[in-house]
Amino acid sequence: MDVKNKNSAGNLAPHKLVMLITVVQKGKGTFFADFIKTFDANLQIAIVGTGTADSNLVEFLGLKDNKRSIIFSIVREEKVNAIMEALEERFRTVNNGTGVSFAVPLSSVIGKLSYGFLSNDQRMVSKNG
């Protein structure tokens, strides 16, 4: 079953979902993933990546190296602004001003239970719901 976001006008899904992609210094991924989870992100995947900037540019920008933690989080669209503002503050205070985050809208999710889990909608994932 393809659960697409359609609101009161015959729509099936009550909440739009986005994939939030956050890139931070390697070693800070767990901290930021835990922080994003406080905004009801039920699914997050963190990987380690390497930037493509050459060593001269990395040194010029004052970065230690080009290794990064990349966090993929699924969150409700209405929470994105609050998450982005909170991340911006954390980037300044915890990550020495480095980090980037952006959101990509999801057009559909297959399966009612999957959608319920990803949107943190307990009514959709309960047995009696």
Side-chain angles (χ1 to χ4, degrees):
M1 171 183 234
D2 188 14
V3 180
K4 292 186 179 182
N5 185 327
K6 296 181 180 178
N7 292 339
S8 59
N11 297 335
L12 302 173
H15 309 286
K16 288 184 179 182
L17 298 176
V18 299
M19 178 179 292
L20 183 71
I21 301 165
T22 307
V23 182
V24 295
Q25 292 175 347
K26 185 179 174 199
K28 305 275 186 180
T30 301
F31 172 83
F32 281 97
D34 288 345
F35 179 70
I36 295 168
K37 186 175 182 174
T38 65
F39 292 90
D40 297 327
N42 278 348
L43 177 69
Q44 296 193 85
I45 299 169
I47 62 172
V48 176
T50 303
T52 58
D54 66 11
S55 60
N56 292 334
L57 180 59
V58 171
E59 185 179 330
F60 175 75
L61 294 174
L63 303 173
K64 293 178 185 175
D65 60 26
N66 61 354
K67 296 203 186 318
R68 300 285 176 258
S69 291
I70 306 160
I71 307 158
F72 297 90
S73 311
I74 305 296
V75 297
R76 289 184 185 181
E77 181 182 58
E78 69 261 13
K79 296 187 182 225
V80 170
N81 287 338
I83 295 170
M84 294 288 210
E85 288 173 8
L87 281 172
E88 185 176 346
E89 177 64 25
R90 291 292 189 268
F91 289 157
R92 278 196 303 266
T93 58
V94 175
N95 219 19
N96 298 324
T98 61
V100 65
S101 188
F102 57 95
V104 178
L106 299 177
S107 60
S108 65
V109 174
I110 297 175
K112 228 174 136 175
L113 289 177
S114 296
Y115 170 79
F117 173 75
L118 294 173
S119 66
N120 201 25
D121 191 335
Q122 299 301 316
R123 298 169 298 160
M124 296 187 83
V125 295
S126 69
K127 280 188 168 184
N128 299 328

